[in-house]
Amino acid sequence: MSNTPTHAPTGFTHETWETFRRDGFLVIEDALDKDQVAALVAAVNKQEKPRDWNIVAVDSHFTEMIDSPSHIGYAYDVYGEMLKLLRSEYFRREPGQEIRNKWHFDGPRSTPFEVFSPRAPLRIKVGYWLTPLGHEDMGNLVYIPGSHRWPHLPQYHTHESHPQERQIIVPPGAMTLMWSGLWHRVAPNRSEFTRLNLFFEYGPSWIVSSDRGRSDPDWLSGLSRARRILMRDYDEPNDWIRLPAEDVPLYTLRPGESDLEAGQYGDHVPPQLRKRSTWLERNGML
Ligand SMILES: [Fe+2]
C-alpha cells in the first residue's frame, strides 16, 4: 500500500471537457476490462439490498474504486487538492421493475449548485454500467443533453418523455460522467436481465457527503493514503475548509505540468496554505 503521493492518472482532454461542458454528460466506453466488470458484478450480487449507499465501506472491490485510475483523474482535474468522495452506491434493477427514479437532477433543489457555480459542476457523478444496455428500456439512465443549464423542466417528478431525451446504450464496463444539475430519470426494465450499476460522486471537500456522517475508524486505518484522504473524515470541522498539512498534496503535478501559482508564495508559507491551480484553471477551461 503506497503512502507516498504520486501524480493523478490522466483525466480530461480539452475535447472531452468541451463535450462534458456542452452536454453535461460524457461517455467513456471500455473504462473497465472484463475481469474488473466480473469482479464488480459478483460484489453487487453478494449484497442483500437492491440498492445501498456508502458501498466503499462494505466490499473491497468497491473500496478499490475510491481512487480508480479509470475515473479519479477526471474528478481531480475539476476539484484538485480538495477532492472528496461525496457518495458511493450500487443499483440492482430487476426485470419488470416499474418503481424507478422520475425526472430530477442530483443535488440541492431549493438553491441548486448552479446558482454558485455555472462554470464547473460542484458535484460530478461517475457511473459504471456493469451489464449490457444494448437497447432502450432495460433500466437505462435517461437524460437530456445540455439540460444542466435548465433550472426547470415541465416533466419534473414524472416519467413523461421529453423530445430531447436519450437513453444510454453502452456495453458493460462503460463509464459515464454526469454534471450535477443534469435532468435525468430511469427507464423501465422490460428486458429479462437485471441491470447493475455503480455510482461514485465527487466534489470539493467543503460539500457535504450524502451517504455517510463519519466512516468507521478501523476501516479508514486500513486504507491507502489517497483513499483515506478522499473519504475526508476529519475530527476537526475546519479541516474540511483548510486542509490538514499531512493531506497535502493529495497528488503531485503530472509530468510536464506546472502550477500557475508557483512563485506566488514566500518560503515561509507551507504547502497546505497555498493555492494550487486545478487542471481546468491551468488550461483556461473555465
Ligand atoms: Fe439522480
Side-chain angles (χ1 to χ4, degrees):
M1 192 186 307
S2 171
N3 285 317
T4 310
T6 55
H7 63 82
T10 306
F12 287 102
T13 61
H14 288 223
E15 192 182 12
T16 53
W17 173 256
E18 285 302 341
T19 301
F20 188 49
R21 180 158 67 175
R22 183 192 65 213
D23 295 345
F25 203 77
L26 186 70
V27 181
I28 311 281
E29 293 197 359
D30 304 322
L32 301 178
D33 65 30
K34 279 197 172 73
D35 292 343
Q36 288 174 299
V37 171
L40 290 166
V41 165
V44 173
N45 283 332
K46 266 198 313 198
Q47 309 303 318
E48 276 177 33
K49 299 183 198 163
R51 175 249 183 114
D52 211 352
W53 294 348
N54 194 22
I55 60 168
V56 293
V58 306
D59 188 290
S60 62
H61 293 97
F62 301 145
T63 311
E64 288 170 17
M65 298 302 285
I66 294 172
D67 62 343
S68 174
S70 47
H71 70 250
I72 202 66
Y74 292 87
Y76 186 72
D77 283 346
V78 180
Y79 306 114
E81 281 297 298
M82 299 197 88
L83 181 60
K84 173 187 174 185
L85 178 70
L86 298 173
R87 173 182 175 120
S88 61
E89 62 189 332
Y90 69 79
F91 280 93
R92 200 162 58 212
R93 294 193 181 276
E94 308 285 342
Q97 186 185 54
E98 289 294 330
I99 298 172
R100 58 196 200 278
N101 303 61
K102 299 169 183 168
W103 283 116
H104 70 285
F105 59 79
D106 294 342
R109 310 292 158 82
S110 301
T111 311
F113 287 140
E114 180 78 7
V115 171
F116 301 99
S117 184
R119 294 187 299 173
L122 278 182
R123 196 152 87 159
I124 294 176
K125 180 179 253 184
V126 179
Y128 285 102
W129 306 91
L130 303 178
T131 47
L133 290 169
H135 54 80
E136 296 192 346
D137 294 343
M138 298 181 76
N140 320 48
L141 181 76
V142 189
Y143 71 101
I144 306 172
S147 65
H148 54 311
R149 309 293 185 196
W150 305 354
H152 305 290
L153 184 75
Q155 292 83 0
Y156 181 28
H157 211 54
T158 74
H159 275 298
E160 290 168 27
S161 66
H162 186 277
Q164 289 159 261
E165 72 179 25
R166 278 191 207 163
Q167 295 197 21
I168 60 163
I169 306 288
V170 291
M175 175 176 96
T176 53
L177 301 184
M178 186 162 70
W179 188 297
S180 53
L182 189 80
W183 290 94
H184 61 282
R185 67 185 178 105
V186 176
N189 187 357
R190 302 204 170 106
S191 77
E192 50 196 288
F193 308 103
T194 298
R195 191 215 80 182
L196 306 180
N197 86 293
L198 307 173
F199 285 127
F200 301 91
E201 293 193 77
Y202 294 85
S205 64
W206 36 270
I207 296 287
V208 73
S209 318
S210 57
D211 65 351
R212 63 191 185 273
R214 297 291 301 267
S215 295
D216 177 68
D218 289 338
W219 175 75
L220 277 175
S221 67
L223 299 182
S224 68
R225 176 180 182 272
R227 289 176 191 163
R228 178 189 58 72
I229 293 174
L230 289 167
M231 294 307 292
R232 301 289 176 189
D233 190 275
Y234 296 130
D235 289 327
E236 189 59 54
N238 201 39
D239 285 354
W240 278 282
I241 297 291
R242 209 171 69 177
L243 301 177
E246 63 269 25
D247 288 358
V248 178
L250 168 58
Y251 290 113
T252 57
L253 289 167
R254 296 181 180 110
E257 282 185 340
S258 56
D259 193 350
L260 284 181
E261 325 297 330
Q264 295 292 328
Y265 300 97
D267 291 343
H268 65 287
V269 184
Q272 73 274 15
L273 298 184
R274 299 179 183 205
K275 181 179 186 303
R276 264 275 295 272
S277 57
T278 62
W279 179 88
L280 290 182
E281 291 177 290
R282 287 199 297 277
N283 289 276
M285 305 305 277
L286 288 172

